[in-house]
Amino acid sequence: MSTSPVSRVAGLVAGRRSKFVVLAVWLLTILALGPFIGKFEGAQQNEPSSFLPAEAESVRVLEASKEFPAGDVTAAIVVFRDSDGLDRSAQDEIVRKRQAFAETDIPGAEATSPPVPSDDGTGVIVTVPIAAGGDEELLIDAVEELRTIAAAGLPEGVAAHVTGPAGFSADASKAFEGINSTLLLTTAGLVFLLLVLIYRSPIFWALPLLAVLVAESVVRGLGYLLAQAGVVINGQVGGILLVLVFGAGTDYALLLTARYREELRTLEDKHEAMRVALTRAGPAIVASAGTVVAALLCLSFASVNSTAGLGPVGAMGVAVAALAMVTLLPTFLVICGRGAFWPFVPRLGSEDTARHGAWRRLGERIDRRHRPVWIVTALGLGAMALGVLTLDDDLTTANAFRGDVESVAGQRVLEQSFPAGSSAPTVVLVPPDAAGAAITAVRRSGVVAEVGRPEAGPPGTRFTVTLDADPNSEEGYAAVATLRDELRAATDGVALVGGPTAEEADLRAATRRDTKLLVPLVLAVVFVILVALLRAVVAPVLLMATVVLSYLAALGASLVLFELFADFPGEDPSFPLFAFIFLVALGVDYNIFLMARVREEALRAPTRGAMLTGLAVTGGVITSAGVVLAGTFSVLAVLPLVALTQIGITVALGVLLDTFVVRSILVPALTFELGERVWWPSRLGRRLEAPPAQGRASDSRARNEP
């Protein structure tokens, strides 16, 4: 009898008494984590500065700013404008508004600046510094209070908006409010619908959904503990985590359940059927989850804190989901027995029609013309990949929202009367003896519109500059790079440039560096796992090549779709990296499920027959799993942020390509092409390929095997 870890777990989970112990352990885990589950959202950090690597220049300025007398504050810019010009009554009302800002108990608000009129007389801005100290709720409350006061009782024709760093940060934080509850309800509803359609049972859907919900609760509790340990988690990570748990968890549930139903047709005892199902399907599920976990853990090496945070948090979520599906779900299934599948109950001795069904016939058709099939399919995916040439990473803070956002509207209004950079001044920090040279260089710079008054403090001298360009645009980020070069030349490299625009520029630069590091790292890690699982080299190379081709095709096709139907302003710099991580890690899952079964069958039949049988018995369940995973990721499209919408659509499209094209057509065709060589250099790869007649006889025997 096998004594592998999977066999021991299978014996425990499927035991007549021990299954209740497994159930009790999960219940105790929920109770232990109960106090932390509801705190997960509160532990998330959505301030852009929290994402930055500690060595970034803008972070050094941010840390030094805390030592100045004025402290580290976030500026809320209140802009008043009348396109026909602000008359005396409007100007008097703006003065009263400024007094109201100062006299009202606005959370965190400090000394309000005097009104600053525009040169053309159409606008006035009032700056309200807010000392939020990283408290997102305080910042949101302060900005909302400012907006209420500013908009009340204005003369006809005068509009007021609150923008600037505080306005943008508050709107970004609000966009993530309720994101988890929205995703939870939408995703759970979609999974429920898909499970009912797949199993056509009024009972069965509740078992995997309940197991996933338990896993999701455990993940939320552990996620809070990770955040308390210093892992940076933002709303985007939290949303992706929930989708990962539901998508991956339901996938593993479908795969285990399919094998359990298969064994129930050959074994009378439901406990023994579950033990065999777990022993045979468990390694593929563990390998699949391990691949995703390993790929996500590679993100821990990212310099961007939010990307690095997704690594351990996402890996933990997938690991818990997989653990729940191979321990908790089996206990539910064994306790409920065959009746859970009513009205399509798998009876002992009933025929498994999958071995002779549509997927078997598809495999036979591919086999007859496998070379043209894989060539045409690869060329088609390659043509879709050409859309990658349209990638445009111009998505910025100012256009990252779907729908109307007041901070964005305020920035546009401000630009009509003031230099665009007035809403987010850039900060220059220099040692006292270099202040004169720095100020002279800044005043001569072609990217600067205005220079603020110097302020002395323990770290040195700091002053603000107003950029000519929109501070939340590619032009603004380029202006920061130019300003840094000019200041380094003027001060022998001792000047530092920070502020909101510099922070965003540093974030984008770090994201590009992370992409160059993580893509080859993930490919190497996944390849090693595939070699260990399949005990071959050729098959892993084949699978990696098809998954990368599928990723490029999904990325290219989605970019074309965005251009034709969505008119998004661009893509986030992290978009290609996140799409790559999910599509490579999750896409290779389906190839693992298929090829692990093919290798199992290849131990007793030629590779051709093994592929036909493997495709036949896994085709339906892998397709169902792919549809569920694509559906769960598409739920991200309901959120109000362009970046999450793009990730959701691209991953959903890529999963469908992996499911219906790569796993169903391309991989089988390439396997038929290579034959036994696909297992090289293992023992299977060294055996002689059977002649056609013998191969078909072996296929016939394989079809008749239980």
Side-chain angles (χ1 to χ4, degrees):
M1 180 180 292
S2 173
T3 58
S4 69
V6 173
S7 297
R8 290 194 292 270
V9 170
L12 177 67
V13 171
R16 296 182 184 278
R17 294 185 178 87
S18 57
K19 64 177 180 285
F20 294 107
V21 175
V22 174
L23 183 60
V25 169
W26 277 100
L27 291 176
L28 289 174
T29 302
I30 288 288
L31 290 175
L33 293 173
F36 311 121
I37 293 172
K39 298 179 179 179
F40 180 60
E41 283 81 7
Q44 296 173 11
Q45 304 177 49
N46 293 309
E47 281 287 326
S49 58
S50 66
F51 307 162
L52 291 164
E55 67 275 9
E57 184 172 329
S58 57
V59 173
R60 293 159 62 190
V61 174
L62 198 63
E63 291 299 317
S65 295
K66 297 175 182 178
E67 301 181 39
F68 280 87
D72 177 25
V73 295
T74 306
I77 309 296
V78 187
V79 54
F80 300 91
R81 188 175 189 275
D82 186 341
S83 57
D84 295 328
L86 295 169
D87 57 21
R88 174 56 59 186
S89 64
Q91 294 175 27
D92 291 343
E93 180 60 28
I94 292 170
V95 171
R96 286 192 289 271
K97 294 290 185 187
R98 187 253 180 180
Q99 293 173 343
F101 296 153
E103 296 170 0
T104 304
D105 187 19
I106 298 174
E110 298 192 350
T112 304
S113 73
V116 178
S118 64
D119 292 338
D120 62 3
T122 62
V124 167
I125 58 174
V126 176
T127 301
V128 183
I130 298 175
D135 188 335
E136 293 179 17
E137 290 301 322
L138 185 150
L139 186 65
I140 292 173
D141 291 344
V143 170
E144 289 299 315
E145 185 73 18
L146 284 172
R147 285 171 174 166
T148 300
I149 296 172
L154 287 173
E156 185 177 354
V158 180
H161 298 276
V162 177
T163 184
F168 277 104
S169 294
D171 287 339
S173 297
K174 284 173 62 180
F176 286 112
E177 283 187 344
I179 191 173
N180 284 84
S181 58
T182 300
L183 281 176
L184 179 61
L185 293 174
T186 308
T187 307
L190 179 63
V191 170
F192 159 73
L193 178 62
L194 292 173
L195 287 174
V196 170
L197 292 175
I198 290 168
Y199 286 99
R200 294 168 292 166
S201 169
I203 303 172
F204 175 78
W205 64 267
L207 303 182
L209 187 57
L210 179 59
V212 171
L213 288 172
V214 170
E216 193 268 342
S217 297
V218 171
V219 165
R220 286 163 63 87
L222 294 176
Y224 171 79
L225 295 177
L226 284 175
Q228 295 302 109
V231 176
V232 175
I233 303 175
N234 63 359
Q236 177 171 293
V237 171
I240 291 174
L241 174 64
L242 189 148
V243 168
L244 273 175
V245 172
F246 266 83
T250 307
D251 272 11
Y252 303 146
L254 291 171
L255 292 160
L256 175 63
T257 303
R259 195 61 185 257
Y260 178 51
R261 292 181 69 174
E262 190 177 336
E263 300 303 332
L264 284 174
R265 294 189 173 93
T266 62
L267 296 169
E268 182 176 3
D269 184 4
K270 62 183 181 180
H271 296 87
E272 180 64 12
M274 178 56 73
R275 188 192 67 78
V276 174
L278 266 175
T279 301
R280 294 181 176 175
I285 294 175
V286 171
S288 170
T291 303
V292 180
V293 167
L296 288 170
L297 284 177
C298 290
L299 294 178
S300 303
F301 294 98
S303 58
V304 176
N305 289 333
S306 56
T307 303
L310 179 58
V313 172
M316 176 271 296
V318 172
V320 170
L323 183 63
M325 295 312 118
V326 297
T327 57
L328 182 60
L329 177 62
T331 65
F332 290 159
L333 291 170
V334 174
I335 290 172
C336 295
R338 284 180 164 86
F341 296 100
W342 184 88
F344 301 98
V345 179
R347 303 292 183 186
L348 180 64
S350 60
E351 183 182 10
D352 184 2
T353 58
R355 289 179 178 267
H356 319 296
W359 290 101
R360 173 81 187 203
R361 293 192 293 273
L362 174 63
E364 290 171 344
R365 284 195 289 271
I366 293 172
D367 181 32
R368 285 194 290 269
R369 298 180 58 82
H370 55 263
R371 184 167 298 171
V373 167
W374 75 257
I375 291 175
V376 170
T377 303
L379 289 175
L381 292 173
M384 295 172 65
L386 293 175
V388 172
L389 299 175
T390 66
L391 181 66
D392 175 12
D393 62 356
D394 277 350
L395 192 70
T396 68
T397 304
N399 55 23
F401 302 95
R402 293 171 58 192
D404 297 328
V405 177
E406 180 166 344
S407 55
V408 176
Q411 173 65 30
R412 292 171 182 158
V413 168
L414 181 146
E415 291 174 5
Q416 296 173 17
S417 301
F418 296 89
S422 300
S423 65
T426 295
V427 180
V428 177
L429 175 66
V430 292
D433 58 353
I439 293 173
T440 300
V442 166
R443 285 176 174 161
R444 292 175 179 173
S445 174
V447 299
V448 173
E450 296 176 2
V451 181
R453 290 191 303 175
E455 177 188 6
T461 301
R462 74 172 179 179
F463 56 92
T464 61
V465 299
T466 300
L467 300 175
D468 271 327
D470 180 348
N472 300 302
S473 68
E474 287 287 348
E475 292 78 10
Y477 310 142
V480 166
T482 299
L483 185 60
R484 282 173 169 168
D485 289 340
E486 293 172 346
L487 283 170
R488 288 191 187 101
T491 65
D492 293 328
V494 297
L496 300 176
V497 177
T501 308
E503 290 168 11
E504 183 71 20
D506 289 343
L507 179 62
R508 297 166 79 84
T511 298
R512 294 185 179 105
R513 290 195 301 271
D514 288 344
T515 300
K516 294 177 181 178
L517 167 69
L518 296 176
V519 166
L521 180 61
V522 170
L523 288 175
V525 168
V526 173
F527 178 75
V528 169
I529 293 175
L530 288 175
V531 170
L533 174 67
L534 299 176
R535 304 171 197 175
V537 172
V538 173
V541 169
L542 181 153
L543 297 183
M544 291 300 297
T546 59
V547 168
V548 171
L549 179 59
S550 175
Y551 157 72
L552 293 173
L555 188 64
S558 62
L559 289 171
V560 172
L561 290 175
F562 298 158
E563 186 70 25
L564 293 176
F565 300 107
D567 194 27
F568 290 136
E571 289 75 46
D572 188 86
S574 65
F575 166 66
L577 174 61
F578 281 169
F580 175 83
I581 295 296
F582 297 130
L583 286 178
V584 170
L586 297 172
V588 83
D589 266 8
Y590 301 118
N591 287 333
I592 287 177
F593 297 144
L594 171 63
M595 293 304 287
R597 185 59 183 265
V598 171
R599 192 182 191 283
E600 179 184 335
E601 297 292 334
L603 296 175
R604 54 179 181 265
T607 296
R608 175 189 171 277
M611 173 54 76
L612 289 174
T613 301
L615 184 60
V617 298
T618 65
V621 63
I622 293 179
T623 300
S624 300
V627 170
V628 170
L629 186 61
T632 53
F633 264 93
S634 67
V635 170
L636 290 174
V638 307
L639 301 177
L641 295 170
V642 173
L644 284 177
T645 299
Q646 291 174 334
I647 291 173
I649 293 173
T650 302
V651 174
L653 178 59
V655 168
L656 292 177
L657 281 176
D658 282 325
T659 304
F660 289 101
V661 178
V662 174
R663 185 269 315 179
S664 302
I665 299 174
L666 185 57
V667 169
L670 287 169
T671 303
F672 290 138
E673 175 77 24
L674 294 172
E676 309 304 323
R677 291 169 295 178
V678 78
W679 307 116
W680 185 87
S682 70
R683 178 179 57 83
L684 290 176
R686 295 193 298 271
R687 68 186 180 184
L688 293 176
E689 187 162 2
Q694 181 182 341
R696 297 185 188 281
S698 299
D699 297 345
S700 177
R701 288 194 300 273
R703 287 197 299 268
N704 293 326
E705 289 174 359

